[in-house]
Amino acid sequence: MHFNAFDRYHEKESFLHRLDPRVKVLVTVIYIISNALLPDGAWLAFISAWMFLITANLLSQLGIGYTFKRSIIALPFALIAVTVLFSIPGKPVSTFQFLMWDLTITDAGFLRFVSILIRSWLSVQMAILLVAVTRFPDLIHALEHLRVPVILTTIIAFLYRYLFVLTDEVLRLIRARESRSAAVAGNRSGGGVRWRAKVAGNMAGQLFLRSYERSDRIYNAMLSRGYSGHLYTLNPHEMKSSDYFVTAFVIAVIFIVQLIGRL
Amino acid sequence: MHFSPVPLHIPDGFLSIPISIICWAITIITLGIAISRTNKALGEKQVPLMGVMAAFIFAAQMINFPVAGGTSGHLLGGALAAIVLGPWAGMLVMTAVVAVQGLLFQDGGLLVMGANILNMGLVTAAIGYGLYRAVSNQSKAVKLSVAGVAAWLSVMAGALFTALQLWLSGTSQLGIVIPAMLGVHVLIGLGEAFITVAALSFILQTRPDLLGEDSESAKGSRAWVAVGGIIALVVVWLSPLASADPDGLNRVAMDIGFFNTAQTGEGLLAGYTVPFFADAAASKIMAGVIGVIVVGAIIMLIGRGMKAKS
């Protein structure tokens, strides 16, 4: 497997790609917090926040609908919020039968449901844009600058680095299982659920041992190259004046969005 | 290629700011302790070991087995990680996994990541290790069956915590979200239990030293037994109670002052009850306890069966 098979980074030359990763992480988090702070039914503010997102999409050179296309992934979770449609008291909008219950959608419930979905939808898109314009190692480095403990960022960096290796390992295990699971046509291969669960468990155990032993080898290799508990980088990660300007500008814009939402 | 094995990853927008902040606070404090503990125990070796172990959990979540009707069993891995690596290291490993799922794949939001780490990393590791630690000196069969119950309960605890956070944020109604989340996760938890038990039994056969007396797994403090036991009791006690008497919990939450949103206890579905949990509170708790015992017995029998075969 290629090392960046999982990577969501898109190689482009754009204003957003050139921004310091710290700024991008900060802006994304502020944007998501701002969405969470907007009151239910602040439609004008939601639209302004959406405009902000579309502008960011345009600035990234990825195309105006880039994040929109990938934003569907958060949709299934909306099911969890469906109950607010019926549970908040308000003027009934529509009543229908579902299995054995009479369900009444209220205007207040509808307002809350749609607001939750919009907040989530906008926030997910900004997070998608963040990883599309920032290399993951740079992202981790930015977290380090933002005072996330070094040990945690290094573990994440290692996870990212060895994810591809271990995924290859898993795919080999799964391929081996499949190649030994021949079935007569019309019959299912393998034993009962219990047996299949045991095989899956053995695979997990096998993978654990391989990973454990690999981590030992990696540690020895690191020691032999002079590892003393710190990882170094050649990338200076210095904030330019334009980075400060963008941060200040975005905070001002988001402040205005909040004002719109509360007027 | 990638799929989220358990629908526990909360996206941004579904939790309120106060709940997100409270969860972040709990997560940050716990991780602070975890970092200082593993640093003492492992030193500079912790980076490669835990980094690769985090990649292991990530990859192991891809191993699935068909159950029935197109559904399949997966691993979440919190209990397994805590049992083989020790509780603190297990928590750090799971934190890295949840963080990468959120950052790289948008499986779970950023503002709510504190909650996601708490539900899928910290709670699962604490309960998984706590229950296992209580019997870590016992025979192999006892260890494996308790590990199975612990794995099952770890998924249930994660689901319960997720449901409670959604309810406290005013996103879902208590009387529905708890039975729904727990109902879905009863089976997912069984898959987790089977895989965890089989993986541990495999490791015990091939590398018993990793789970022996000198391992990280056996060195955890006895206090974990209490922590795991308390979380297990909360799950066993709260889940049936919340399903049977959601209004009661709503009142408690209102008394504490959790609700500043437009939430009220009087829902249009207030009369809704889960068929199985229709009686008085005491019988619900009994139902929960019986559930745990039944699952424990099933897993113990299966453990025996596996042992007899191998």
Side-chain angles (χ1 to χ4, degrees):
Chain A
M1 179 181 287
H2 196 251
F3 78 94
N4 61 4
F6 286 108
D7 222 336
R8 298 295 199 258
Y9 177 73
H10 281 251
E11 188 76 54
K12 277 261 162 62
E13 203 23 64
S14 86
F15 173 68
L16 286 192
H17 285 73
R18 281 191 301 271
L19 264 185
D20 188 280
R22 264 165 292 184
V23 176
K24 287 185 264 192
V25 171
L26 217 61
V27 165
T28 308
V29 170
I30 293 174
Y31 181 78
I32 293 172
I33 292 176
S34 155
N35 286 338
L37 281 173
L38 286 176
D40 286 352
W43 308 123
L44 210 57
F46 285 145
I47 291 173
S48 333
W50 188 34
M51 288 300 147
F52 181 85
L53 181 79
I54 288 179
T55 316
N57 261 321
L58 280 175
L59 284 175
S60 72
Q61 304 282 337
L62 292 168
I64 192 162
Y66 175 76
T67 56
F68 179 78
K69 269 179 275 168
R70 293 209 42 230
S71 64
I72 315 298
I73 47 164
L75 212 60
F77 210 84
L79 260 182
I80 287 287
V82 160
T83 54
V84 297
L85 277 176
F86 321 108
S87 63
I88 298 179
K91 221 169 71 212
V93 177
S94 126
T95 308
F96 61 95
Q97 268 214 304
F98 178 72
L99 299 179
M100 51 182 152
W101 304 291
D102 284 323
L103 299 178
T104 308
I105 297 178
T106 64
D107 55 350
F110 188 71
L111 187 81
R112 175 140 186 82
F113 180 68
V114 173
S115 302
I116 289 174
L117 288 200
I118 291 178
R119 278 193 204 106
S120 173
W121 180 69
L122 291 174
S123 304
V124 160
Q125 291 197 57
M126 197 49 107
I128 290 171
L129 192 62
L130 171 67
V131 290
V133 298
T134 317
R135 284 196 178 83
F136 200 69
D138 284 340
L139 196 65
I140 296 168
H141 210 101
L143 294 180
E144 211 167 291
H145 282 298
L146 295 169
R147 300 279 179 278
V148 175
V150 177
I151 175 71
L152 215 48
T153 55
T154 338
I155 292 176
I156 292 174
F158 260 79
L159 162 57
Y160 179 73
R161 197 176 296 180
Y162 286 97
L163 181 58
F164 312 105
V165 179
L166 293 193
T167 304
D168 266 343
E169 198 93 62
V170 154
L171 292 180
R172 273 200 296 277
L173 282 170
I174 291 177
R175 201 157 53 227
R177 176 177 65 177
E178 252 145 44
S179 67
R180 286 164 184 80
S181 304
V184 180
N187 287 319
R188 209 175 43 186
S189 67
V193 172
R194 213 180 82 188
W195 181 82
R196 274 176 273 158
K198 191 191 163 193
V199 171
N202 286 344
M203 285 162 73
Q206 168 85 316
L207 184 67
F208 168 76
L209 291 183
R210 287 186 192 174
S211 316
Y212 194 87
E213 277 151 17
R214 186 186 288 275
S215 81
D216 253 358
R217 280 209 316 276
I218 292 168
Y219 177 58
N220 291 339
M222 286 167 78
L223 277 186
S224 73
R225 294 180 189 97
Y227 173 69
S228 62
H230 279 281
L231 299 177
Y232 298 93
T233 168
L234 287 175
N235 203 334
H237 282 285
E238 272 165 10
M239 294 275 281
K240 297 189 289 286
S241 54
S242 62
D243 292 318
Y244 287 109
F245 177 75
V246 169
T247 316
F249 180 74
V250 167
I251 289 175
V253 169
I254 285 175
F255 186 71
I256 293 170
V257 170
Q258 283 295 322
L259 279 184
I260 295 173
R262 277 152 207 288
L263 282 180
Chain B
M1 167 53 59
H2 171 80
F3 40 78
S4 67
V6 184
L8 287 178
H9 300 80
I10 309 172
D12 276 317
F14 283 81
L15 292 188
S16 68
I17 294 250
I19 297 298
S20 307
I21 291 173
I22 291 171
C23 291
W24 263 120
I26 300 172
T27 300
I28 288 170
I29 291 168
T30 318
L31 286 181
I33 303 170
I35 288 170
S36 79
R37 289 301 173 91
T38 51
N39 210 349
K40 250 182 247 159
L42 293 169
E44 60 188 31
K45 203 192 163 185
Q46 68 177 347
V47 168
L49 176 64
M50 288 198 275
V52 176
M53 280 304 123
F56 153 69
I57 293 291
F58 210 113
Q61 292 185 344
M62 292 174 191
I63 300 176
N64 60 344
F65 64 95
V67 176
T71 59
S72 52
H74 299 277
L75 190 69
L76 177 64
L80 180 62
I83 290 171
V84 291
L85 299 173
W88 296 117
M91 284 179 176
L92 287 183
V93 161
M94 289 308 289
T95 300
V97 170
V98 175
V100 169
Q101 282 169 340
L103 280 171
L104 194 55
F105 301 105
Q106 287 82 48
D107 247 348
L110 304 184
L111 181 59
V112 298
M113 193 181 280
N116 282 330
I117 292 173
L118 177 65
N119 301 340
M120 284 180 285
L122 310 188
V123 170
T124 54
I127 190 170
Y129 186 76
L131 298 189
Y132 177 80
R133 183 69 180 87
V135 296
S136 60
N137 301 323
Q138 308 283 323
S139 75
K140 190 178 155 186
V142 175
K143 270 201 276 196
L144 285 182
S145 27
V146 170
V149 178
W152 183 74
L153 274 174
S154 76
V155 172
M156 298 302 276
L160 177 70
F161 272 65
T162 307
L164 288 176
Q165 289 152 8
L166 287 166
W167 163 60
L168 289 172
S169 301
T171 304
S172 303
Q173 215 193 3
L174 184 69
I176 297 171
V177 72
I178 286 194
M181 286 295 269
L182 291 183
V184 168
H185 287 87
V186 164
L187 289 177
I188 293 177
L190 278 179
E192 174 91 8
F194 286 141
I195 297 186
T196 304
V197 168
L200 284 175
S201 124
F202 184 85
I203 295 167
L204 277 171
Q205 269 172 23
T206 44
R207 284 287 300 272
D209 55 309
L210 292 180
L211 293 169
E213 276 168 31
D214 284 334
S215 63
E216 286 305 315
S217 161
K219 272 192 270 179
S221 152
R222 275 271 165 193
W224 283 104
V225 178
V227 176
I230 289 169
I231 302 178
L233 281 178
V234 167
V235 175
V236 171
W237 168 75
L238 201 58
S239 338
L241 189 70
S243 311
D245 185 21
D247 293 343
L249 264 191
N250 265 323
R251 267 198 307 280
V252 172
M254 248 185 270
D255 290 345
I256 302 171
F258 254 124
F259 286 109
N260 41 15
T261 52
Q263 266 248 324
T264 63
E266 290 271 306
L268 294 184
L269 279 176
Y272 169 89
T273 49
V274 189
F276 182 60
F277 300 120
D279 288 311
S283 72
K284 316 302 168 315
I285 296 168
M286 273 315 291
V289 175
I290 291 168
V292 173
I293 294 171
V294 168
V295 171
I298 292 172
I299 290 169
M300 188 152 350
L301 281 174
I302 287 168
R304 286 255 172 83
M306 280 178 181
K307 211 177 150 200
K309 265 188 204 165
S310 51

